[in-house]
Amino acid sequence: MPAPTLPLPPPAHEAPLPPARTGAAGVRVLCGVPYAALPGARPLELDLYLPAGDGPHPVALFLHGGGWRLGSRHTAGPMYRDADPTPFEQVAAAGIAVASLDYRLSGEAVWPAQLHDAKAAVRWLRSRAGELGVDADRIAAWGESAGGHLAELLGLTTDAALEGEVGVTGPPSAVSAVVAWYAPSDVAAVATDIGNDPADPASREAQLIGAPASAAAGLAAQASPITYVSPAAPPALLLHGRADRFVATVQSQRLHDALTAAGTDVELHTYDGADHMWLGAPDAATDALDRTITFLRRHLIDEGDRA
């Protein structure tokens, strides 16, 4: 006799949207929206910050930092902990929706699961753009630290092998602009750039790819944004502190130089005295968010208005 079966609900990412609350400047906030169901695990979720007024609005996908090991979708970093309105509300008040997501951390799954999750979030946004009031053709990636690394990869990778099959499949996962704060762009060199041991199996990048970068050169290259630089790269804004003790400034400089050599639209700005996460430099934190909003508006709103 065959085993009995039970009717199963649809995947979590197909569920109706939760009710919205109203935040600063009339921003509508939807918390804990599932964007992908994972077999045998809890669904992946994001928070949505939607501008007041009718859409469709451009949208920035935000990816948090934490060395691929820690962090959550609820914050853009410790320097913004007491910000009111929050950074996400500030971006939404400027006319750009924000989708801040959680992705699998390295203790849950190794590379390329994190990129698969980020791409799944882009595909979900496109699949439900009409319902959300966002523009499927105007999606940017924005991230800090490990999240900046994933944002760069969203902008640079086109290989179908890195697309993954998480959540909604079918829509493209390409983004039209990238903002990366103090991001690792060359995984193999993260340790040596700050004077650490590249053979340390406990390093953040070793935990990401499942082995020390010195022992897994192919994986380290596959996980490195700099590997995928091409003339087709979207516009990028790279911001980094010159006193960063965790991800050396040269990581952003190296990617900037490679993108410049490829003839792409890339900007790099560095901040004196700013450590990782803008620690020790509140003015840098303020300026970084202002530059991010200006850049996103230029590439997601102003250029569309001129077209």
Side-chain angles (χ1 to χ4, degrees), residues 101 169 172 226 244 288:
L101 65 137
T169 57
I226 201 165
D244 197 318

Side-chain angles (χ1 to χ4, degrees), residues 73-280:
R73 67 182 188 268
H74 301 300
T75 177
M79 296 299 287
Y80 305 98
R81 186 173 291 122
D82 298 322
D84 186 15
T86 69
F88 305 140
E89 289 172 329
Q90 291 181 53
V91 174
I96 300 165
V98 176
S100 180
L101 65 137
D102 283 333
Y103 51 86
R104 281 174 288 176
L105 303 174
S106 60
E108 300 171 290
V110 296
W111 165 266
Q114 296 72 24
L115 181 58
H116 288 172
D117 296 349
K119 286 179 175 288
V122 177
R123 297 194 301 266
W124 181 85
L125 287 170
R126 285 204 163 95
S127 73
R128 299 185 69 167
E131 181 183 4
L132 296 169
V134 302
D135 189 336
D137 294 326
R138 293 185 293 164
I139 301 177
W142 164 34
E144 55 112 8
S145 193
H149 160 265
L150 295 174
E152 291 172 354
L153 285 165
L154 278 177
L156 294 170
T157 54
T158 58
D159 187 346
L162 291 175
E163 192 68 29
E165 297 181 352
V166 177
V168 174
T169 57
S173 64
V175 297
S176 54
V178 170
V179 179
W181 295 357
Y182 41 86
S185 63
D186 184 356
V187 170
V190 169
T192 53
D193 283 343
I194 56 173
N196 286 349
D197 181 5
D200 181 5
S203 71
R204 292 178 293 276
E205 58 273 18
Q207 292 178 56
L208 171 69
I209 64 174
S214 61
L219 278 175
Q222 188 191 53
S224 294
I226 201 165
T227 299
Y228 305 98
V229 167
S230 80
L237 173 65
L238 311 177
L239 303 177
H240 215 124
R242 293 178 188 157
D244 197 318
R245 295 171 296 164
F246 295 89
V247 178
T249 314
V250 71
Q251 286 274 321
S252 288
Q253 183 69 60
R254 198 175 288 140
L255 181 61
H256 169 268
D257 294 348
L259 288 168
T260 299
T264 70
D265 180 356
V266 58
E267 304 172 38
L268 170 65
H269 186 79
T270 59
Y271 297 92
D272 285 332
D275 198 350
H276 203 61
M277 303 183 294
W278 311 131
L279 293 175

